[in-house]
Amino acid sequence: MCRRGALIAVLLAGSAVAAQTPQEPVDLLIVNARIIDGTGAQARMGSLAIHNGRIARINPPANTPARERLDVRGQVVAPGFIDVHTHADDLAQKPEATNFVRMGVTTIIAGNCGGSALDVGGVFEQVASAEPAVNFATLIGHNTVRQSVMGRAQRAPTVDELQKMKALVFKAMADGAVGFSTGLQYIPGTYAKESEIVELARVAANNNGVYVTHMRNEGTALLEAVAESINVGRLLKMPVQISHLKVDSPKQWGASVQALAMIDDARRRGIDVEADQYAYTAGSSGLAIRFPSWALEGTNAEVSARLKDEATWAKIKGEIIQLLADRGFTDLSWATVATYRARPEFNGLSMKAVATKMIGADTADAQLEAARQMMINGGATMVYHFMSEDDVETVMKHPMIGIASDAGVNVFGSGVPHPRGYGNAVRVLGHYVRDRKVIPLEEAVRKLSSLPARQFGFDQRGEIREGWAADLVVFDPATVGDTATFDAPHAYPTGITHVLVNGRLVVRDGATTQARGGQVLRRPNR
């Protein structure tokens, strides 16, 4: 045989051997799935092959070998939900993140409302070492940066102080923060002028970051606050994410229509503005947010001294009464205690009930006196019932509004927190999609997955595509829903069957597993 013939024979023999070599099995085969891919496209039946943490194949051959086969029996398989507004900054200490994964959340962003870790690189190391159940990203918070340089001073920064703050933002962005956040209703952020915000956000913009803002006002001056947020994006040509868009003042209910129109107008002018919301008519924040910002300047001792001084307290109380009246309230009865460490027996009570127990009366004056005493004794986390269902649904229908919980990693049974920490994502799927038919199921999944993934630059996440990360949630659209209530918030949702994070089953058959598939997600610099 000639040399050429011998070579052909060898190659043919090699091909035959290769053809006879068994195909390597994939890690997991999900079959009989109703696939909603996250783009807003209609659901379709199919199967998924998962291998090495990725979606290896959509609709692989029926005889594809697999180490495990998961028959989901017509349930929905969707991209894992991305919660861009969390306060899960302590994930390294609570890596199971059970309240998030049990509602299908596979990626979280911390560092919101201006509050974050100052050492972003250090936090990433801690989270990675803890091997969390969810993917983790963080913003660098303006309040954190400002307080580290200026304390709680109510003034503009000096040139030197501004440079120090810019250096801290730069370091955080270099370490992989996904953007810069503000909490302009909280001290010390509320003391900052727009020019300061622009200068610090510019550092994040130069590092491909997003500007994320808890705006200066969400009720009586909502439209002015939206305009300020948009202007930052206009000046810096950077993406803007307005946090938990709402109308929190009864006198302004209905203003969501105008706020959304402003976002539409900005987008037509080329400004990349989006927002997120939680699916409830109540919010949650500190008791301090009800007090005038000037009264909260300085150290805790200085704040306490102001509150204890009767003449100063009379001035503070007068301003609180006026602020309440401007919003359409006559007292604090719309507020309930989530966590008050000084007296845990108050957790879950309305301020009327707290005043009765503490002061012996439930009048508006007694409620304010109770609030003063609570602030003197360390403050409290509150739940505020101040929104309308019409505004919630109006905002939810807008195509550029994502879904985010504004929750932290909950300790089951601790306090009486807002139920959104257990039910936000599934409440959309159950209450607003299935029951009220506010938006279609495919649109809800898009708002929970690809919309936030694109805004925050999460590469190869947020959609079901071959080669992309296998962050997936399997749920039954007929039964998915929230069970947590304001009176009994510690309750996991129904209908979430399986959750995969980077290909690992962190929830199986509705229960958490020992697997932790989360990764640290850094935003690449330009």
Side-chain angles (χ1 to χ4, degrees):
M1 182 183 296
C2 69
R3 292 180 63 186
R4 181 182 178 190
L7 178 59
I8 291 173
V10 170
L11 291 173
L12 288 173
S15 297
V17 171
Q20 293 167 7
T21 300
Q23 179 184 348
E24 180 186 2
V26 298
D27 295 329
L28 177 65
L29 195 63
I30 302 175
V31 299
N32 296 321
R34 182 182 167 194
I35 298 173
I36 297 180
D37 66 10
T39 66
Q42 290 294 307
R44 63 189 188 278
M45 295 302 295
S47 58
L48 299 174
I50 310 302
H51 194 63
N52 290 335
R54 297 272 163 178
I55 301 168
R57 186 85 179 266
I58 299 174
N59 294 326
N63 62 349
T64 298
R67 294 185 177 88
E68 182 176 0
R69 183 183 176 93
L70 199 62
D71 188 340
V72 299
R73 303 179 183 277
Q75 294 185 72
V76 168
V77 177
F81 304 146
I82 298 173
D83 193 331
V84 301
H85 192 105
T86 81
H87 294 279
D89 299 85
D90 57 351
L91 181 65
Q93 289 72 51
K94 305 171 186 175
E96 300 86 359
T98 305
N99 59 304
F100 284 105
V101 296
R102 286 286 296 266
M103 62 176 168
V105 173
T106 59
T107 298
I108 62 174
I109 299 180
N112 281 283
C113 294
S116 72
L118 189 62
D119 180 7
V120 168
V123 166
F124 280 157
E125 290 180 4
Q126 294 171 18
V127 170
S129 296
E131 299 180 351
V134 293
N135 300 314
F136 176 84
T138 189
L139 302 149
I140 178 65
H142 170 241
N143 287 1
T144 298
V145 168
R146 195 180 209 270
Q147 185 155 336
S148 73
V149 174
M150 300 176 58
R152 297 197 312 214
Q154 187 178 3
R155 60 175 174 80
T158 65
V159 172
D160 181 60
E161 288 169 337
L162 185 60
Q163 288 304 314
K164 288 179 179 178
M165 288 193 284
K166 290 169 75 172
L168 289 172
V169 176
F170 180 84
K171 174 65 165 55
M173 295 303 298
D175 285 342
V178 295
F180 174 69
S181 78
T182 55
L184 299 178
Q185 279 190 301
Y186 302 114
I187 60 165
T190 190
Y191 303 144
K193 303 298 184 184
E194 183 179 329
S195 58
E196 176 184 326
I197 302 303
V198 169
E199 283 305 302
L200 296 177
R202 188 187 309 278
V203 179
N206 290 339
N207 287 271
N208 205 28
V210 180
Y211 174 57
V212 181
T213 180
H214 176 134
M215 298 185 296
R216 210 173 287 275
N217 189 292
E218 297 174 318
T220 55
L222 171 67
L223 303 184
E224 292 87 342
V226 171
E228 180 184 34
S229 305
I230 291 171
N231 197 45
V232 174
R234 181 188 67 83
L235 292 171
L236 301 179
K237 296 181 172 58
M238 72 185 299
V240 174
Q241 182 82 7
I242 295 174
S243 296
H244 39 60
L245 183 62
K246 65 172 80 71
V247 185
D248 68 7
S249 302
K251 281 189 175 181
Q252 299 298 320
W253 283 353
S256 59
V257 174
Q258 294 164 277
L260 293 170
M262 293 174 69
I263 291 174
D264 287 336
D265 177 68
R267 293 185 63 83
R268 281 191 294 268
R269 292 185 283 126
I271 305 169
D272 184 2
V273 183
E274 297 183 12
D276 53 68
Q277 70 171 150
Y278 44 79
Y280 297 85
T281 56
S284 182
S285 188
L287 179 60
I289 203 171
R290 305 275 71 88
F291 286 67
S293 61
W294 63 264
L296 306 174
E297 182 186 8
T299 66
N300 291 339
E302 290 172 326
V303 174
S304 181
R306 289 189 197 103
L307 293 170
K308 290 177 180 178
D309 180 79
E310 292 302 325
T312 308
W313 167 241
K315 181 181 179 183
I316 292 171
K317 184 168 71 171
E319 290 193 24
I320 294 174
I321 291 170
Q322 186 59 57
L323 289 168
L324 290 174
D326 290 344
R327 299 176 70 175
F329 296 112
T330 57
D331 60 14
L332 289 171
S333 59
W334 48 282
T336 60
V337 179
T339 304
Y340 180 41
R341 290 187 175 89
R343 296 187 65 176
E345 68 270 22
F346 288 174
N347 294 346
L349 298 183
S350 71
M351 283 303 294
K352 261 194 172 184
V354 170
T356 298
K357 288 182 174 293
M358 186 184 291
I359 310 298
D362 67 357
T363 62
D365 192 69
Q367 292 172 46
L368 290 174
E369 179 59 31
R372 171 166 74 145
Q373 295 303 323
M374 291 169 71
M375 285 293 294
I376 290 171
N377 288 287
T381 303
M382 309 294 292
V383 173
Y384 296 118
H385 297 267
F386 51 18
M387 297 151 61
S388 78
E389 187 64 53
D390 285 346
D391 280 318
V392 171
E393 294 189 4
T394 296
V395 171
M396 191 173 293
K397 290 174 183 177
H398 193 281
M400 304 312 293
I401 308 299
I403 307 298
S405 68
D406 198 8
V409 182
N410 289 344
V411 176
F412 198 89
S414 177
V416 188
H418 195 299
R420 64 195 180 189
Y422 291 93
N424 188 62
V426 291
R427 181 170 173 79
V428 174
L429 301 174
H431 181 69
Y432 287 102
V433 170
R434 184 184 61 242
D435 300 339
R436 295 188 61 81
K437 298 178 173 53
V438 174
I439 54 175
L441 180 58
E442 290 84 355
E443 174 67 356
V445 169
R446 185 188 70 86
K447 286 171 169 283
L448 285 158
S449 56
S450 68
L451 182 65
R454 291 181 182 181
Q455 179 73 340
F456 284 86
F458 294 140
D459 187 40
Q460 298 188 4
R461 296 182 192 273
E463 296 180 27
I464 294 179
R465 290 197 192 187
E466 290 184 354
W468 284 34
D471 295 342
L472 301 168
V473 55
V474 181
F475 64 89
D476 181 355
T479 62
V480 68
D482 60 314
T483 63
T485 65
F486 288 102
D487 292 331
H490 295 284
Y492 294 117
T494 59
I496 298 291
T497 311
H498 310 291
V499 180
L500 286 81
V501 180
N502 295 302
R504 303 189 67 184
L505 276 161
V506 298
V507 173
R508 182 195 291 268
D509 296 322
T512 53
T513 70
Q514 297 301 310
R516 295 184 189 170
Q519 299 175 1
V520 166
L521 304 181
R522 292 177 172 85
R523 190 174 187 94
N525 291 328
R526 287 177 180 170

PDB file of all heavy atoms in Angstrom, residues 110-131:
ATOM      1  N   ALA A 110     -25.873  44.482  45.965  1.00  0.00           N
ATOM      2  CA  ALA A 110     -25.892  45.168  47.257  1.00  0.00           C
ATOM      3  C   ALA A 110     -25.366  46.589  47.077  1.00  0.00           C
ATOM      4  O   ALA A 110     -25.090  47.036  45.964  1.00  0.00           O
ATOM      5  CB  ALA A 110     -25.064  44.385  48.266  1.00  0.00           C
ATOM      6  N   GLY A 111     -25.229  47.314  48.183  1.00  0.00           N
ATOM      7  CA  GLY A 111     -24.660  48.661  48.127  1.00  0.00           C
ATOM      8  C   GLY A 111     -25.628  49.728  47.669  1.00  0.00           C
ATOM      9  O   GLY A 111     -25.204  50.784  47.184  1.00  0.00           O
ATOM     10  N   ASN A 112     -26.922  49.499  47.840  1.00  0.00           N
ATOM     11  CA  ASN A 112     -27.925  50.449  47.361  1.00  0.00           C
ATOM     12  C   ASN A 112     -28.226  51.550  48.371  1.00  0.00           C
ATOM     13  O   ASN A 112     -27.804  51.509  49.524  1.00  0.00           O
ATOM     14  CB  ASN A 112     -29.205  49.693  47.017  1.00  0.00           C
ATOM     15  CG  ASN A 112     -29.129  48.989  45.677  1.00  0.00           C
ATOM     16  OD1 ASN A 112     -29.254  49.615  44.631  1.00  0.00           O
ATOM     17  ND2 ASN A 112     -28.907  47.677  45.700  1.00  0.00           N
ATOM     18  N   CYS A 113     -28.966  52.562  47.912  1.00  0.00           N
ATOM     19  CA  CYS A 113     -29.424  53.688  48.735  1.00  0.00           C
ATOM     20  C   CYS A 113     -28.259  54.430  49.381  1.00  0.00           C
ATOM     21  O   CYS A 113     -28.392  55.014  50.458  1.00  0.00           O
ATOM     22  CB  CYS A 113     -30.406  53.219  49.798  1.00  0.00           C
ATOM     23  SG  CYS A 113     -31.962  52.602  49.125  1.00  0.00           S
ATOM     24  N   GLY A 114     -27.093  54.400  48.715  1.00  0.00           N
ATOM     25  CA  GLY A 114     -25.948  55.138  49.212  1.00  0.00           C
ATOM     26  C   GLY A 114     -25.166  54.433  50.297  1.00  0.00           C
ATOM     27  O   GLY A 114     -24.134  54.950  50.747  1.00  0.00           O
ATOM     28  N   GLY A 115     -25.618  53.257  50.740  1.00  0.00           N
ATOM     29  CA  GLY A 115     -24.934  52.535  51.804  1.00  0.00           C
ATOM     30  C   GLY A 115     -24.283  51.269  51.292  1.00  0.00           C
ATOM     31  O   GLY A 115     -24.952  50.402  50.721  1.00  0.00           O
ATOM     32  N   SER A 116     -22.972  51.148  51.463  1.00  0.00           N
ATOM     33  CA  SER A 116     -22.246  49.985  50.943  1.00  0.00           C
ATOM     34  C   SER A 116     -21.045  49.712  51.822  1.00  0.00           C
ATOM     35  O   SER A 116     -20.745  50.465  52.758  1.00  0.00           O
ATOM     36  CB  SER A 116     -21.767  50.252  49.507  1.00  0.00           C
ATOM     37  OG  SER A 116     -20.693  51.192  49.512  1.00  0.00           O
ATOM     38  N   ALA A 117     -20.326  48.666  51.501  1.00  0.00           N
ATOM     39  CA  ALA A 117     -18.992  48.480  52.061  1.00  0.00           C
ATOM     40  C   ALA A 117     -18.075  49.535  51.456  1.00  0.00           C
ATOM     41  O   ALA A 117     -18.234  49.902  50.287  1.00  0.00           O
ATOM     42  CB  ALA A 117     -18.478  47.089  51.726  1.00  0.00           C
ATOM     43  N   LEU A 118     -17.139  50.024  52.237  1.00  0.00           N
ATOM     44  CA  LEU A 118     -16.169  50.980  51.703  1.00  0.00           C
ATOM     45  C   LEU A 118     -15.076  50.253  50.930  1.00  0.00           C
ATOM     46  O   LEU A 118     -14.625  50.720  49.888  1.00  0.00           O
ATOM     47  CB  LEU A 118     -15.559  51.798  52.842  1.00  0.00           C
ATOM     48  CG  LEU A 118     -14.684  52.981  52.435  1.00  0.00           C
ATOM     49  CD1 LEU A 118     -15.491  54.006  51.639  1.00  0.00           C
ATOM     50  CD2 LEU A 118     -14.071  53.634  53.668  1.00  0.00           C
ATOM     51  N   ASP A 119     -14.674  49.094  51.424  1.00  0.00           N
ATOM     52  CA  ASP A 119     -13.650  48.276  50.774  1.00  0.00           C
ATOM     53  C   ASP A 119     -14.328  47.211  49.931  1.00  0.00           C
ATOM     54  O   ASP A 119     -14.581  46.093  50.385  1.00  0.00           O
ATOM     55  CB  ASP A 119     -12.742  47.639  51.829  1.00  0.00           C
ATOM     56  CG  ASP A 119     -11.641  46.777  51.225  1.00  0.00           C
ATOM     57  OD1 ASP A 119     -11.480  46.773  49.985  1.00  0.00           O
ATOM     58  OD2 ASP A 119     -10.941  46.089  52.004  1.00  0.00           O
ATOM     59  N   VAL A 120     -14.646  47.541  48.708  1.00  0.00           N
ATOM     60  CA  VAL A 120     -15.355  46.625  47.825  1.00  0.00           C
ATOM     61  C   VAL A 120     -14.516  45.379  47.542  1.00  0.00           C
ATOM     62  O   VAL A 120     -15.030  44.248  47.542  1.00  0.00           O
ATOM     63  CB  VAL A 120     -15.753  47.338  46.515  1.00  0.00           C
ATOM     64  CG1 VAL A 120     -16.225  46.348  45.461  1.00  0.00           C
ATOM     65  CG2 VAL A 120     -16.839  48.372  46.796  1.00  0.00           C
ATOM     66  N   GLY A 121     -13.232  45.563  47.311  1.00  0.00           N
ATOM     67  CA  GLY A 121     -12.381  44.410  47.056  1.00  0.00           C
ATOM     68  C   GLY A 121     -12.365  43.449  48.217  1.00  0.00           C
ATOM     69  O   GLY A 121     -12.407  42.223  48.042  1.00  0.00           O
ATOM     70  N   GLY A 122     -12.330  43.982  49.434  1.00  0.00           N
ATOM     71  CA  GLY A 122     -12.348  43.139  50.617  1.00  0.00           C
ATOM     72  C   GLY A 122     -13.643  42.364  50.761  1.00  0.00           C
ATOM     73  O   GLY A 122     -13.639  41.182  51.137  1.00  0.00           O
ATOM     74  N   VAL A 123     -14.761  43.023  50.462  1.00  0.00           N
ATOM     75  CA  VAL A 123     -16.060  42.343  50.522  1.00  0.00           C
ATOM     76  C   VAL A 123     -16.134  41.232  49.492  1.00  0.00           C
ATOM     77  O   VAL A 123     -16.645  40.137  49.775  1.00  0.00           O
ATOM     78  CB  VAL A 123     -17.206  43.354  50.331  1.00  0.00           C
ATOM     79  CG1 VAL A 123     -18.516  42.647  50.038  1.00  0.00           C
ATOM     80  CG2 VAL A 123     -17.347  44.208  51.573  1.00  0.00           C
ATOM     81  N   PHE A 124     -15.632  41.479  48.304  1.00  0.00           N
ATOM     82  CA  PHE A 124     -15.631  40.431  47.288  1.00  0.00           C
ATOM     83  C   PHE A 124     -14.846  39.214  47.769  1.00  0.00           C
ATOM     84  O   PHE A 124     -15.255  38.067  47.544  1.00  0.00           O
ATOM     85  CB  PHE A 124     -15.043  40.961  45.984  1.00  0.00           C
ATOM     86  CG  PHE A 124     -16.004  41.781  45.158  1.00  0.00           C
ATOM     87  CD1 PHE A 124     -15.525  42.708  44.241  1.00  0.00           C
ATOM     88  CD2 PHE A 124     -17.370  41.638  45.287  1.00  0.00           C
ATOM     89  CE1 PHE A 124     -16.398  43.461  43.464  1.00  0.00           C
ATOM     90  CE2 PHE A 124     -18.251  42.391  44.522  1.00  0.00           C
ATOM     91  CZ  PHE A 124     -17.763  43.304  43.616  1.00  0.00           C
ATOM     92  N   GLU A 125     -13.720  39.441  48.415  1.00  0.00           N
ATOM     93  CA  GLU A 125     -12.925  38.323  48.935  1.00  0.00           C
ATOM     94  C   GLU A 125     -13.708  37.559  50.006  1.00  0.00           C
ATOM     95  O   GLU A 125     -13.708  36.316  50.018  1.00  0.00           O
ATOM     96  CB  GLU A 125     -11.611  38.839  49.519  1.00  0.00           C
ATOM     97  CG  GLU A 125     -10.616  39.351  48.478  1.00  0.00           C
ATOM     98  CD  GLU A 125      -9.332  39.849  49.119  1.00  0.00           C
ATOM     99  OE1 GLU A 125      -9.197  39.721  50.363  1.00  0.00           O
ATOM    100  OE2 GLU A 125      -8.466  40.371  48.383  1.00  0.00           O
ATOM    101  N   GLN A 126     -14.380  38.271  50.881  1.00  0.00           N
ATOM    102  CA  GLN A 126     -15.153  37.623  51.933  1.00  0.00           C
ATOM    103  C   GLN A 126     -16.314  36.806  51.366  1.00  0.00           C
ATOM    104  O   GLN A 126     -16.559  35.675  51.790  1.00  0.00           O
ATOM    105  CB  GLN A 126     -15.687  38.673  52.898  1.00  0.00           C
ATOM    106  CG  GLN A 126     -14.631  39.400  53.706  1.00  0.00           C
ATOM    107  CD  GLN A 126     -15.202  40.576  54.467  1.00  0.00           C
ATOM    108  OE1 GLN A 126     -16.411  40.669  54.677  1.00  0.00           O
ATOM    109  NE2 GLN A 126     -14.337  41.512  54.859  1.00  0.00           N
ATOM    110  N   VAL A 127     -17.014  37.391  50.390  1.00  0.00           N
ATOM    111  CA  VAL A 127     -18.150  36.695  49.793  1.00  0.00           C
ATOM    112  C   VAL A 127     -17.679  35.450  49.046  1.00  0.00           C
ATOM    113  O   VAL A 127     -18.273  34.372  49.169  1.00  0.00           O
ATOM    114  CB  VAL A 127     -18.936  37.634  48.862  1.00  0.00           C
ATOM    115  CG1 VAL A 127     -19.962  36.853  48.049  1.00  0.00           C
ATOM    116  CG2 VAL A 127     -19.627  38.728  49.666  1.00  0.00           C
ATOM    117  N   ALA A 128     -16.601  35.583  48.282  1.00  0.00           N
ATOM    118  CA  ALA A 128     -16.084  34.432  47.545  1.00  0.00           C
ATOM    119  C   ALA A 128     -15.672  33.315  48.505  1.00  0.00           C
ATOM    120  O   ALA A 128     -15.931  32.137  48.248  1.00  0.00           O
ATOM    121  CB  ALA A 128     -14.908  34.857  46.673  1.00  0.00           C
ATOM    122  N   SER A 129     -15.048  33.681  49.612  1.00  0.00           N
ATOM    123  CA  SER A 129     -14.622  32.677  50.595  1.00  0.00           C
ATOM    124  C   SER A 129     -15.815  31.987  51.248  1.00  0.00           C
ATOM    125  O   SER A 129     -15.743  30.814  51.608  1.00  0.00           O
ATOM    126  CB  SER A 129     -13.754  33.330  51.676  1.00  0.00           C
ATOM    127  OG  SER A 129     -12.559  33.839  51.128  1.00  0.00           O
ATOM    128  N   ALA A 130     -16.923  32.710  51.399  1.00  0.00           N
ATOM    129  CA  ALA A 130     -18.117  32.133  52.027  1.00  0.00           C
ATOM    130  C   ALA A 130     -18.875  31.197  51.101  1.00  0.00           C
ATOM    131  O   ALA A 130     -19.751  30.460  51.556  1.00  0.00           O
ATOM    132  CB  ALA A 130     -19.041  33.261  52.494  1.00  0.00           C
ATOM    133  N   GLU A 131     -18.557  31.215  49.796  1.00  0.00           N
ATOM    134  CA  GLU A 131     -19.224  30.360  48.801  1.00  0.00           C
ATOM    135  C   GLU A 131     -20.748  30.497  48.895  1.00  0.00           C
ATOM    136  O   GLU A 131     -21.456  29.586  49.313  1.00  0.00           O
ATOM    137  CB  GLU A 131     -18.801  28.911  48.970  1.00  0.00           C
ATOM    138  CG  GLU A 131     -17.304  28.690  48.776  1.00  0.00           C
ATOM    139  CD  GLU A 131     -16.901  27.236  48.948  1.00  0.00           C
ATOM    140  OE1 GLU A 131     -17.751  26.422  49.378  1.00  0.00           O
ATOM    141  OE2 GLU A 131     -15.740  26.916  48.651  1.00  0.00           O
TER     142      GLU A 131
END
